[in-house]
């Protein structure tokens, strides 16, 4: 009989050994291949480390890296040890030599073939399994960090009275451990069974006992561990019911317990837990009884119980107890879901007010007057006028503007806030005269300048009234660094600061060159860095190009969203980063969210679906859009400097436990809210994506009565955008407006709702979007009565299109090759009813960019289609008011005087001009104290001019609203 531990016997054939030269060559090639592979892996690691160090967030890199390495090592070793130990133990417990059956004789060949390699085979199998398990575990670094650093929510779920932190931070980690335990047990069981079979511990066809006592005991223990883990799973499933999603007609992605869960599934899980514990004990008892009879009976009982108690019984309860009286049975659980969902999405403080939907008075003159003060009606649609900015302000073909511009607020020379449409002139590589490696990455490296226009007015030709324009930019935004090295359209890498000069901008005198002076990017003077980036970017020229030398730095990860997501991978990034000119710099402001999928009873939503609208594109899509969440907070405001790429994260929601958890995990990465500069805070706003998530939830969760919620009679929907044919939801709009009973206008974000399956208006929603306002984030909903039919956006658009007079005017506008484009259809509450305003643009007739030509206005049953907003309002209300179209200003930024200049105004403006000139001189000399003093004098002079102008306009005979003089024009 052959020795089952030995190897095959017989004569061996000797093969000639290769020569020393061949062996040396093969060894050298092997070493070189290993080194090459090692350097490829090292290059990715090294470039990541250099980038994080360059942005001063190396702690994020090291914390993430060491967490992944730790999880990989610990769980990889645990899995390898578990499987390897059981393989070794099964081999150790193999039966002694005995008379061999035919089955064993057929297996003997395999035993003999692996005998010389048993140790290496064991190491190879365990190493492979350990690597796979470790790689899987390292992907759980977020789960681990949240478990280790979790802070309490100080809110308890209504069923088990556990803190929400248990579901958000602890339960996911316990589920991972449970899954790992199942995987280790199953793999160990399979490996042990194979070894026992190979060495005769298990028999399939042989007569007599099918398993030895040792094999029986070993496998029974593993089966007992498996059933024990199943018992733990049943126990955790009890808590999992609080965060379980299910199909329920009351709401999509319903989360939390329902009647059948609390009264059938919950007791069933408890019973199954007890049965599983008993079954596990029976398996462990086989160590002494050496028989599987009782464990198999117990396991069969557990399976049968799972079918009957865990499946059939809940179905019976649902069919015969819940369905006949669903509202009464489900109401308590619906109430818990409503409360949790409203808390989790920050809509619990939303205020719903009844709104009549009909004018409160018949005073047309007063309504016309109120129309001028209820809102700064934005006629310049940032989603349409980008081609106009492009045509009028692109200046050079290698510049471009984003397809959708941004809306912000800036102060006019009198110090009043005005809604502004703003865009940056970013680099467009496709417009470079000649594309080559040097031009694409060394010469054309950045955009230049800001272009901004008043949001509420256009000139007589329908063009924007620019408050900042030209190249270099000049206007009301003051002096600031205009180079844009980091932007939404800047996706390629650039190498700057070395021997190769860059194109700064071009004017009538020719090209102006520059060399980057910022500290951003990674230094390429080091040959190791150059080699690593040449490999990482698949650009061998980086390694040997003469254009790279001392001072050369490589800039990449240049979009604001990319940079914020990289330094804070635990945040979800808003789809719309927007620029602001603050403190002499261009800063990108990026809203970021902390999210969770473990808030008990709160219904889930998919971010990509909820935030999509008719304007969403790849550039404006929310990061991590496939994520399903049931808790969200705008907890972080981030900024990215457009010149040096500096990223700052500011704590915004100081009460968010998820943010506090991540701040514990990554200490020092998020700055305190108090560190936000007041001037920067003026430009921060309520984020669009959060608003879109909230409005989607409020289509159902504005209802707080469970009976009404279940009936669905009050359910709303977000209407489709009627201004285009995309079929997607109407986007929310930023504009300054005031809600009923609000004293002053506030920068707001607004939307509308219609009833499910109908087009009439059911509600209007607005949130105060001014970050420095006392009631920032307050959601107000004006709910219209069901008995009053108020036209919704689609119906209003249909009225515009079906009106014969308007249709004829539009047909004339479309004459020739012209195209008509409808701007944002804005809805505004006015005197108990809703005012609709829609700008109409025309493109064509020799002009290939859209110009504002008409304004559509609807109020009640009146509709107007006029050249200006003022004329349209006058026609609707039959009264005189203000116009909002400006004649072409002489310098592109200010309106020329229309009345004789008042002496006081003249002196004040002279003082302002002197203060401005003094400030420019101080700025050039670097005298910041004198510059600050000059700015104070400038502000005071402008205020005196505004006050004097107001007094002059109030005198008898003065033209209302007339301007007396332009403000000083900045020279650069």
């Amino acid at each position: 009989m052959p020795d089952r531990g030995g190897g095959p016997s017989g004569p061996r054939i000797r093969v000639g050994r290769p020569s020393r030269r061949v062996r040396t060559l093969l060894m050298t090639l092997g070493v070189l291949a290993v080194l090459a592979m090692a350097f490829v892996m090292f290059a990715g690691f090294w470039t990541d480390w250099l980038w994080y160090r360059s942005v001063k967030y190396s702690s994020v890199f090291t914390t993430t890296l060491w967490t992944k390495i730790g999880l990989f090592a610990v769980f990889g070793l645990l899995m390898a040890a578990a499987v390897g130990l059981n393989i070794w133990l099964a081999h150790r417990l193999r039966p002694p030599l005995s008379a061999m059956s035919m089955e064993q004789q057929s297996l003997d060949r395999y035993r003999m073939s692996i005998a010389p390699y048993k140790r290496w085979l064991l190491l190879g199998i365990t190493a492979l399994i350990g690597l796979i398990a470790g790689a899987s575990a390292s992907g759980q670094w977020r789960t681990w960090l949240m478990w280790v650093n979790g802070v309490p929510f100080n809110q308890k779920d209504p069923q088990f009275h556990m803190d929400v932190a248990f579901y958000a931070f602890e339960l996911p980690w316990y589920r991972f451990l449970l899954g790992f335990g199942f995987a280790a047990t199953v793999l160990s069981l399979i490996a042990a069974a194979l070894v026992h079979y190979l060495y005769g511990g298990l028999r399939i066809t042989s007569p007599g006992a099918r398993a030895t006592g040792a094999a029986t005991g070993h496998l029974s223990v593993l089966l007992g561990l498996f059933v024990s883990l199943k018992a733990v799973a049943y126990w955790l499933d009890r808590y999992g019911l609080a965060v379980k999603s299910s199909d329920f007609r009351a709401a999509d992605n319903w989360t939390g317990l329902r009647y059948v869960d609390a009264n059938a599934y919950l007791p069933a899980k408890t019973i199954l837990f007890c049965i599983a514990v008993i079954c596990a004990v029976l398996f462990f008892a086989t160590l002494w009884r050496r028989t599987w009879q009782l464990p198999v009976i117990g396991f069969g009982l557990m399976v049968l119980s799972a079918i009957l108690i865990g499946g059939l019984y809940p179905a019976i309860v649902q069919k015969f107890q819940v369905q006949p009286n669903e509202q009464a049975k489900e109401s308590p659980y619906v109430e818990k879901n409503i409360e949790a969902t409203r808390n989790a999405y920050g809509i619990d403080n939303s205020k719903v007010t009844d709104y009549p939907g009909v004018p409160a008075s018949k005073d047309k003159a007063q309504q016309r007057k109120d129309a001028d003060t209820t809102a700064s009606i934005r006629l310049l649609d940032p989603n349409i006028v980008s081609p106009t900015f492009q045509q009028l302000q692109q200046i050079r073909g290698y510049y471009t503007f984003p397809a959708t511009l941004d809306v912000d607020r800036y102060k006019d020379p009198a110090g009043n806030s005005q809604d502004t449409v703003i865009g940056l002139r970013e680099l467009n590589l496709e417009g470079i005269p000649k594309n080559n490696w040097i031009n694409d990455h060394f010469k054309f490296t950045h955009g230049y300048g800001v272009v901004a226009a008043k949001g509420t007015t256009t000139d007589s030709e329908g063009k924007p009234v620019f408050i900042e324009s030209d190249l270099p930019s000049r206007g009301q935004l003051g002096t600031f660094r205009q180079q844009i090295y980091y932007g939404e359209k800047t996706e390629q890498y650039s190498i700057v600061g070395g021997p190769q000069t860059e194109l700064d901008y071009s004017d009538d005198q020719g090209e102006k060159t520059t060399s980057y002076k910022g500290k951003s990017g990674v230094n390429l003077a080091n040959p190791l860095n150059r080699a690593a980036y040449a490999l990482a970017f698949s650009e061998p020229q980086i390694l040997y190009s003469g254009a790279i030398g001392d001072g050369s730095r490589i800039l990449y990860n240049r979009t604001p969203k990319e940079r914020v997501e990289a330094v804070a991978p635990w945040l979800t990034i808003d789809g719309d980063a927007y620029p602001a000119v603050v403190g002499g710099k261009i800063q990108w402001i990026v809203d970021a969210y902390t999210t969770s999928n473990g808030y008990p009873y709160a219904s889930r939503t998919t971010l990509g679906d909820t935030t999509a609208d008719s304007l969403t594109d790849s550039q404006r899509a929310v990061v991590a859009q496939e994520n399903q969440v049931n808790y969200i907070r705008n907890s972080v405001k981030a900024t990215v400097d457009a010149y040096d790429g500096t990223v700052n994260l500011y704590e915004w929601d100081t009460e968010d436990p998820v943010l506090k958890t991540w701040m514990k995990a990554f200490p020092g990465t998020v700055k305190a809210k108090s560190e936000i500069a007041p001037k920067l805070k003026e430009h921060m706003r309520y984020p669009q994506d959060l608003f879109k998530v909230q409005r989607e939830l409020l289509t159902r969760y504005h209802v707080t009565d469970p009976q009404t919620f279940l009936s669905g009679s009050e359910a709303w929907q977000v209407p489709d955008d009627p201004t285009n044919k995309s079929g997607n939801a109407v986007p929310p709009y930023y504009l300054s407006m005031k809600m009923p009973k609000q004293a002053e206008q506030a920068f707001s974000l607004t939307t509308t709702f219609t009833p499910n399956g109908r087009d009439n208006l059911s509600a209007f929603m607005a949130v105060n979007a001014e970050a420095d306002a006392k009631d920032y984030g307050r959601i107000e909903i004006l709910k219209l009565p069901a008995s009053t039919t108020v036209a919704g956006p689609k119906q209003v658009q249909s009225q515009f299109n079906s009106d014969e007079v308007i249709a004829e005017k539009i047909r004339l506008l479309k004459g020739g090759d012209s195209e008509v484009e409808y701007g944002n259809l804005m809805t505004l509450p006015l005197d108990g009813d809703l005012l609709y305003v829609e700008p109409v643009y025309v493109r064509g007739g020799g002009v290939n960019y859209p110009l504002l030509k008409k304004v559509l206005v609807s109020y009640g049953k009146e509709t107007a289609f006029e050249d200006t907003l003022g004329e349209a309002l006058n026609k609707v209300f039959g009264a005189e008011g203000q116009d909002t179209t400006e004649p072409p200003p002489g310098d592109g930024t200010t309106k020329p005087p229309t009345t004789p200049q008042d002496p006081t105004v003249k002196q004040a403006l002279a003082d302002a001009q002197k203060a401005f000139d003094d400030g420019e001189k101080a700025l050039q000399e670097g005298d910041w104290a004198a510059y600050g003093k000059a700015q104070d004098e400038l502000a005071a002079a402008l205020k005196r001019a505004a006050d004097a102008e107001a007094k002059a306009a109030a005198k008898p005979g003065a033209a209302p609203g007339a301007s007396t003089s332009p403000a000083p024009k900045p020279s650069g």
Side-chain angles (χ1 to χ4, degrees), residues 916-936:
F916 181 85
D917 294 339
D918 292 343
E920 289 291 286
K921 181 179 179 182
L923 188 63
Q924 293 173 0
E925 295 174 355
D927 188 347
W928 296 105
Y931 178 77
K933 181 180 178 182
Q935 293 302 302
D936 293 339

Side-chain angles (χ1 to χ4, degrees), residues 277-352:
V277 170
I278 295 171
C279 187
V281 172
L282 292 176
F283 272 109
F284 291 135
T286 57
L287 285 172
W288 296 276
R289 291 179 54 85
R290 301 296 184 180
T291 175
W292 279 349
Q293 185 176 4
L294 287 178
V296 169
I297 293 173
F299 189 77
L301 176 63
M302 187 178 74
V303 173
L304 183 62
S305 300
I307 296 172
L308 296 178
I309 303 175
L312 185 59
Y313 174 62
I316 293 172
V317 171
Q318 178 69 23
K319 179 70 174 177
F320 295 102
Q321 290 191 31
V322 178
Q323 289 185 5
N325 193 16
E326 186 177 46
Q327 288 203 344
K329 296 292 186 182
E330 300 287 15
S331 286
Y333 304 96
V334 171
E335 186 174 4
K336 296 172 185 177
N337 174 269
I338 291 173
E339 181 180 359
T341 302
R342 288 171 64 88
N343 286 333
Y345 289 95
I347 57 178
D348 49 322
N349 293 323
S350 57
K351 181 182 178 183
V352 180

Side-chain angles (χ1 to χ4, degrees), residues 437 527-534 539-545 548:
W437 192 63
L528 177 64
N529 293 356
R530 293 176 67 170
Y533 279 101
E539 287 280 11
Q541 296 177 89
I542 294 177
L543 186 60
Y544 55 78
S545 174
I548 301 175

Side-chain angles (χ1 to χ4, degrees), residues 638-829:
T639 61
V640 177
D641 192 290
Y643 180 74
D644 61 25
T646 300
V647 181
N648 287 310
L649 306 176
Y650 297 102
E651 181 183 16
W652 186 250
D653 189 334
T654 57
E655 303 298 325
D656 177 28
V658 181
L659 178 60
K660 291 179 180 179
T661 295
W662 287 119
M663 290 174 68
K664 280 182 63 179
F666 296 97
T669 57
V670 181
K671 298 182 179 181
K673 187 175 184 178
S674 58
E675 295 188 43
I676 301 177
K679 291 293 184 182
L680 174 62
K681 196 173 182 180
E682 288 179 1
H683 293 279
M684 291 179 174
R685 66 192 191 189
Y686 201 81
Q688 284 191 62
D689 285 338
L690 176 61
F691 184 78
K692 285 189 274 189
V693 170
Q694 290 174 326
R695 75 171 177 177
E696 182 63 34
L697 269 297
L698 281 167
T699 58
R700 303 183 306 275
Y701 287 94
H702 68 278
V703 176
T704 55
D705 176 63
Q707 300 284 345
T708 308
F709 188 91
L710 278 167
S711 71
S713 60
E714 292 290 332
W716 300 335
Q717 65 183 12
V718 178
D720 293 340
D721 190 348
T723 64
N724 59 52
K725 298 179 181 179
S726 67
N728 294 322
V730 63
Y733 297 124
Y734 285 108
L735 77 160
S736 293
M737 56 158 290
K738 60 182 180 181
M739 295 289 281
K741 300 182 181 179
Q742 190 173 340
E744 296 180 351
Q745 292 182 14
F747 191 64
S748 305
L749 193 53
T750 67
T751 192
T752 54
F753 296 109
T754 59
N756 265 348
R758 296 166 59 194
D759 295 325
N760 58 290
L761 198 68
S762 57
F764 172 83
M765 171 178 163
V767 64
N768 189 322
E770 292 186 359
D772 54 355
K774 184 178 180 180
D775 54 355
Y776 166 81
R778 185 184 65 186
I779 297 174
E780 289 192 64
I781 301 174
L782 303 180
K783 180 183 176 184
L784 284 86
S787 58
T788 302
T789 302
V790 178
K794 186 175 181 179
Q795 291 175 325
V796 170
Q797 189 70 48
S798 179
Q799 289 175 11
F800 290 157
N801 296 337
S802 61
D803 186 286
E804 293 183 1
V805 176
I806 295 176
E808 178 61 22
K809 291 181 178 179
I810 291 178
R811 188 186 66 78
L812 292 174
L813 289 175
K814 290 181 177 179
D817 60 349
S818 298
E819 297 179 4
V820 171
E821 297 182 41
Y822 294 102
N824 35 220
L825 178 57
M826 289 173 290
T827 310
L828 302 166

